[in-house]
Amino acid sequence: MKAIVYTKYGPPEVLQLKEVEKPIPKENEVLVKVFAASANPADWHMIRGEPKFARLTFGLTKPKKIIPGIDIAGKVEAIGANVKEFRPGDEVFGDCGWGGAFAEYVCVKEKSVVRKPSNISFEEGASISVAAMSALQGLRDKGRIKPGQKVLINGASGGVGTFAVQLAKHFGAEVTGVCSTGKLNLVRSIDADKVIDYTKEDFINTTQKYDLIIDNVANRSVADLKRALSPNGRCVIIGFSSLSRLFQHMFLAPLVSMFGSKKIFSLGSVQPNKKDLNFLKELLETGKIKPVIDRIYPLSDVAEAIRYVEEGHARGKVVINIGNNSIV
């Protein structure tokens, strides 16, 4: 099978398109013929091996998994002996853990995928797992969102942000999205109640305070974020912009949360699980959330896709088409 492979850490140029052996599913796995995958910030961190301490997970001197990519959508090709839920031909979406998606085939655990709704394409299905689940777990689990709350989504036009706006609206919140001038209409189109152009206005310095902030940009200090919260407000930081900010969010934010009514958390790594995938699937089936896709690249151009994601200006999700004709 064809796959994107990297054997050393570095910039996207280390990625190579090669022929590799087709995997065989274990007893609790399904073999998926991958029709689409998506590129996430986590992918370029894995490819570069940055931050350096992440190599404790990815591999100290070289990658443990040589095929990158997390999110997938495709058709079940074969099943392991203990698989009960799926049969060959089933259309599925989900994740394959820390690597393996940028290939024509991948083996995934039965619990890591669910059936793809018939009203979305494979490209849309591949955009869900990491981004939508990060938004869901940030809003619901860490943020404890409630109907009627004033919620601000910083970085509302990105992969996580576009899902966060729609999910916050689903949960009954009044949603303000923060983005750049050229993306205001996009954020309005996914039903944000208000939009803030960060090139003209700083949400930190307004009189409006928020019950919940989802910060996908992660470039503000803990003190700034605390100032923008209502007296019992909560802030969930997703991702990081620099090592200094990362350590501040990891170690200072918990101290702030311990000694005051305002709570600031770092989401950390998303926790993939079937219950959340099925919850998102139901919202997709009923049209309550819809993936926003910016660009679609062929498998041979994964390096360019990763480079684009790394720049941080994508409008929604960046998707990899892998031998599938259902381009959205």
Side-chain angles (χ1 to χ4, degrees):
M1 69 173 186
K2 291 183 175 65
I4 295 295
V5 172
Y6 73 123
T7 56
K8 61 181 180 180
Y9 295 118
E13 287 74 20
V14 301
L15 299 174
Q16 296 178 299
L17 180 63
K18 289 189 172 183
E19 289 282 341
V20 300
E21 188 174 347
K22 184 177 175 181
I24 299 172
K26 297 176 182 176
E27 289 185 344
N28 65 337
E29 291 181 335
V30 296
L31 174 66
V32 177
K33 179 175 176 57
V34 183
F35 286 170
S38 72
N40 294 288
D43 296 318
W44 69 259
H45 287 298
M46 283 190 286
I47 292 163
R48 289 186 178 272
E50 295 178 357
K52 294 293 192 295
F53 63 77
R55 297 187 185 190
L56 294 170
T57 300
F58 304 150
L60 285 176
T61 60
K62 61 182 181 180
K64 290 179 182 177
K65 291 191 174 183
I66 63 170
I67 302 174
I70 302 171
D71 296 333
I72 61 161
K75 283 187 178 181
V76 174
E77 175 105 344
I79 60 174
N82 293 337
V83 172
K84 305 298 182 185
E85 184 177 350
F86 300 108
R87 292 289 180 268
D90 287 344
E91 298 181 351
V92 296
F93 75 96
D95 77 272
C96 55
W98 291 104
F102 299 155
E104 291 180 318
Y105 294 89
V106 66
C107 288
V108 300
K109 293 179 180 178
E110 181 180 19
K111 66 181 182 180
S112 298
V113 291
V114 297
R115 285 181 174 80
K116 182 184 74 66
S118 60
N119 62 325
I120 67 169
S121 67
F122 286 106
E123 288 79 12
E124 290 171 323
S127 74
I128 303 297
S129 187
V130 170
M133 208 170 289
S134 295
L136 175 62
Q137 293 176 7
L139 288 163
R140 182 196 62 198
D141 301 342
K142 292 283 190 178
R144 298 181 185 176
I145 190 170
K146 297 180 179 65
Q149 285 186 323
K150 295 185 185 302
V151 175
L152 180 131
I153 311 296
N154 190 27
S157 58
V160 176
T162 50
F163 283 117
V165 170
Q166 296 176 78
L167 286 166
K169 288 292 292 181
H170 170 72
F171 288 125
E174 179 185 303
V175 181
T176 298
V178 181
C179 60
S180 61
T181 310
K183 299 173 183 176
L184 294 174
N185 286 337
L186 166 62
V187 177
R188 290 190 185 102
S189 75
I190 52 175
D191 292 335
D193 297 287
K194 301 176 183 177
V195 292
I196 293 176
D197 181 347
Y198 70 77
T199 68
K200 298 178 180 178
E201 183 180 1
D202 186 352
F203 72 89
I204 298 295
N205 296 322
T206 67
T207 57
Q208 179 64 64
K209 306 301 177 187
Y210 298 93
D211 302 305
L212 173 59
I213 295 173
I214 299 293
D215 183 9
N216 301 303
V217 183
N219 64 347
R220 306 305 295 257
S221 69
V222 169
D224 280 349
L225 294 169
K226 183 179 177 183
R227 196 161 69 246
L229 290 171
S230 62
N232 294 298
R234 302 170 76 89
C235 174
V236 182
I237 302 163
I238 299 177
F240 70 97
S241 58
S242 67
L243 276 179
S244 61
R245 281 285 184 251
L246 174 63
F247 287 126
Q248 184 185 101
H249 295 158
M250 287 176 63
F251 300 113
L252 181 57
L255 290 175
V256 169
S257 300
M258 284 175 62
F259 298 107
S261 62
K262 299 180 181 182
K263 309 297 182 184
I264 301 177
F265 308 92
S266 179
L267 180 65
S269 296
V270 66
Q271 302 299 315
N273 64 86
K274 198 152 196 139
K275 182 179 179 181
D276 284 351
L277 270 180
N278 276 315
F279 176 79
L280 293 167
K281 173 189 171 183
E282 290 175 8
L283 296 182
L284 290 161
E285 286 175 328
T286 56
K288 292 178 181 176
I289 62 170
K290 184 172 176 59
V292 176
I293 294 178
D294 183 352
R295 297 183 182 182
I296 300 175
Y297 292 84
L299 184 62
S300 57
D301 288 346
V302 164
E304 185 60 34
I306 296 296
R307 194 176 297 112
Y308 180 59
V309 170
E310 194 172 3
E311 291 171 358
H313 302 302
R315 300 167 179 249
K317 290 289 296 179
V318 174
V319 173
I320 312 301
N321 180 271
I322 304 176
N324 170 37
N325 294 321
S326 67
I327 301 290
V328 294

